[in-house]
Amino acid sequence: MALSASVQRERLAQLLKEDGNSVCADCRETGPTWASTNHGTFICTQCAGVHRSLGVQDSFVLSCTLDTWTEKQVDHMEANGNLRVNQLLEYCVPKAIEVPYLSKTDRDTREYFIRAKYVQQLFKGVPGRSPRAPERIVRQGSNNADNGKSPRSMSAMVEYIGIVTIQLVEGKNLIVKDLTSSDPYCVLTIGLQSRKSKIKYKTLNPTYNESFDFSWNGVDQLTVEVFDKDELTKDDHMGKAEVCLEPLLRESGLVLRDWYTIRHRKHKDREQGQLLLELTFTKIQ
């Protein structure tokens, strides 16, 4: 159930005053205005940009002041919070790991740490592991990341209107990149979010049946690039398909299922197979 704007703001404002929540869970910047709702942490604008790029299955990001929240989402934030989550996910951070600190951390360092913390959960408390708090210092060589205004960090300011679910069903008539066949996999991208499918060996007609969720701003298109996996050399590019998502705006829950042509990335008139995709859009209420 969606909360009224006034109740939402009041509850979140109170939570942001609690110990640990008044600073970003990842870099300790003061005054966080964003949240990773599935983890239950409050985060700053720069870290929110990284969280957005992880995708909604790893971090569902909402604005504490601009977005509409459900009662369940606010309850989850109340049950967790920065201190409780960090006690688990920052239980043992090796000294060699550079930890984000305020705005003076470059994007790459910030992204490496956040992925390790939330997606891989490398610092999580496990039996036999001794606790070690992260060292948050400004290290030589760190920069101000353009005061948080670089194109990548500005992605945190994008307001998403819903979730696009991409069902990668199958491919057909892909091109040969090895002697007689290929080992194709797909990389799906919307904005700064990317997902990779499983590799299908020795086939030009792969069956995937994999599902991927993306936050969507109602504008960005979907790009699907197909690669041939090579063990000893760089993976070969097999072509890409570009998919306009605007038809999904007709109605929430609309399902579009179609074959999309894979084309050479430079020679657009050269067809190199097809992909069957099923697209669904769910609007954030």
Side-chain angles (χ1 to χ4, degrees), residues 164-227:
V164 171
T165 299
I166 312 294
Q167 181 77 16
L168 175 61
V169 183
E170 60 179 313
K172 67 179 181 181
N173 302 326
L174 304 186
I175 60 173
V176 174
K177 279 294 184 179
D178 298 327
L179 291 177
T180 59
S181 189
S182 296
D183 302 322
Y185 66 90
C186 298
V187 176
L188 299 84
T189 302
I190 297 180
L192 294 177
Q193 306 163 83
S194 291
R195 304 285 180 275
K196 179 181 176 181
S197 75
K198 296 178 180 178
I199 302 168
K200 299 298 179 178
Y201 292 96
K202 300 185 184 305
T203 179
L204 302 180
N205 301 285
T207 299
Y208 293 101
N209 289 323
E210 296 183 57
S211 182
F212 307 89
D213 289 332
F214 295 85
S215 297
W216 189 45
N217 59 9
V219 177
D220 291 335
Q221 71 173 10
L222 165 69
T223 299
V224 186
E225 296 184 272
V226 185
F227 294 87

Side-chain angles (χ1 to χ4, degrees), residues 2 56 75 85-86 93 98 103 125 131 157 164 199 217 220 241 279:
V56 293
D75 288 345
V85 173
N86 282 344
V93 181
E98 185 169 358
S103 63
M157 303 304 293
V164 171
I199 302 168
N217 59 9
D220 291 335
L279 317 176

Side-chain angles (χ1 to χ4, degrees), residues 69-118:
W69 291 60
T70 66
E71 184 175 5
K72 184 177 180 180
Q73 287 169 330
V74 179
D75 288 345
H76 186 68
M77 299 298 298
E78 194 171 57
N80 290 277
N82 291 1
L83 290 181
R84 184 173 287 106
V85 173
N86 282 344
Q87 285 175 355
L88 176 65
L89 297 184
E90 292 185 357
Y91 181 80
C92 181
V93 181
K95 187 175 182 179
I97 297 295
E98 185 169 358
V99 181
Y101 184 59
L102 305 180
S103 63
K104 300 184 181 296
T105 304
D106 61 79
R107 168 75 186 213
D108 289 341
T109 300
R110 195 181 299 268
E111 183 169 350
Y112 176 85
F113 178 80
I114 289 174
R115 283 186 178 277
K117 175 180 175 179
Y118 292 96

